[in-house]
Amino acid sequence: MRLKELEKTVLQQCGRSRALYLIVALFLILGLIIGTIAALVLKNTELSAATDYMSRFFSAYSLQSVNKHEVFQIALYNNFKSLLFLWMSGLSLFLVPFALLQVGIKGFKLGFAIAFLSKMFHWKGVLFALISMLPQNLIVLPVFILYGVFIVRKAGQLYQLKRKNNVKLEKKRLYLSGFKAAAVTSVLMVICSVLEAYFVPIIVRPVCALMI
């Protein structure tokens, strides 16, 4: 019964925020496109140096063991840094553009990495990019869109409440929902970090041998 109620709530929220979901998704797609273009216009000299570096990386990666705990810490730090930036952007309506910018930057990084690897290593680069980035980004990208929309809506609601009187109860409810959303998003970020640190290296290692 609770699952059905949760599903109904999510569908209602999606229906009410259709325009916001479209805007946030467009920023993500725009970031992907700009990142792809930025990688494709790199000069041959820059690509040559990067190819040599990446080849050495793949050789070392295929032969040496990965410090999974260190990878987990780095992934967790990066994910929570992005989450904190999004959360801070929701404190004021005037900071909302920074939340959208953060979503766009996430798309830019992903688009640049995929295009860069595919340009350097062709189908092998595409294969490596998919295997190394797809597992965690299947969670990260939807979470960024959902939490980005929530942040924008919350900032708008807080702005509206400033114009009203006797809204302590509404503010309390809004801050409580913000805490719950941040908690759920944090758990999902931890799951993504675990995938990136302990699962991805296992499936990436055989691919690295192909890249040498």
Side-chain angles (χ1 to χ4, degrees):
M1 189 68 181
R2 289 182 179 179
L3 286 174
K4 288 183 178 180
E5 290 177 359
L6 179 61
E7 183 182 356
K8 184 178 178 181
T9 303
V10 171
L11 289 173
Q12 286 175 346
Q13 293 298 324
C14 290
R16 292 172 190 167
S17 308
R18 233 174 250 173
L20 286 178
Y21 279 107
L22 182 60
I23 292 170
V24 174
L26 281 174
F27 268 84
L28 181 66
I29 294 168
L30 186 63
L32 282 166
I33 293 171
I34 295 174
T36 301
I37 294 172
L40 293 177
V41 298
L42 286 175
K43 296 178 181 178
N44 290 331
T45 52
E46 295 170 325
L47 277 175
S48 179
T51 303
D52 292 338
Y53 171 80
M54 291 300 294
S55 296
R56 290 195 297 271
F57 167 79
F58 290 131
S59 298
Y61 196 95
S62 61
L63 294 173
Q64 298 175 9
S65 60
V66 179
N67 188 334
K68 294 178 181 179
H69 183 65
E70 186 177 346
V71 173
F72 173 74
Q73 288 181 324
I74 294 170
L76 194 65
Y77 171 76
N78 289 331
N79 286 330
F80 271 92
K81 183 173 66 174
S82 300
L83 177 61
L84 179 63
F85 194 91
L86 272 178
W87 178 81
M88 290 177 66
S89 300
L91 295 177
S92 170
L93 189 63
F94 301 104
L95 296 176
V96 164
F98 292 101
L100 298 173
L101 180 64
Q102 181 70 13
V103 174
I105 290 172
K106 191 70 178 176
F108 176 89
K109 290 178 180 178
L110 187 61
F112 183 89
I114 294 173
F116 184 66
L117 287 167
S118 63
K119 189 173 182 179
M120 283 195 301
F121 299 100
H122 307 294
W123 69 268
K124 292 180 181 179
V126 176
L127 179 64
F128 178 81
L130 289 174
I131 291 176
S132 62
M133 299 176 192
L134 188 61
Q136 62 271 32
N137 278 296
L138 283 174
I139 301 175
V140 169
L141 294 182
V143 166
F144 256 74
I145 292 174
L146 288 168
Y147 194 62
V149 169
F150 176 83
I151 286 299
V152 173
R153 282 193 63 202
K154 186 180 126 203
Q157 289 170 344
L158 283 172
Y159 180 77
Q160 290 176 348
L161 288 178
K162 286 181 180 179
R163 298 178 157 189
K164 298 178 182 178
N165 297 321
N166 302 320
V167 291
K168 288 184 179 180
L169 189 61
E170 288 185 52
K171 279 189 176 182
K172 185 178 179 181
R173 179 188 57 78
L174 194 58
Y175 283 122
L176 182 61
S177 66
F179 174 77
K180 288 178 180 178
V184 172
T185 307
S186 298
V187 171
L188 292 172
M189 289 296 103
V190 172
I191 294 171
C192 292
S193 302
V194 170
L195 281 173
E196 189 172 345
Y198 297 99
F199 175 70
V200 171
I202 297 172
I203 59 175
V204 161
R205 189 178 297 278
V207 181
C208 287
L210 294 173
M211 309 293 290
I212 301 171

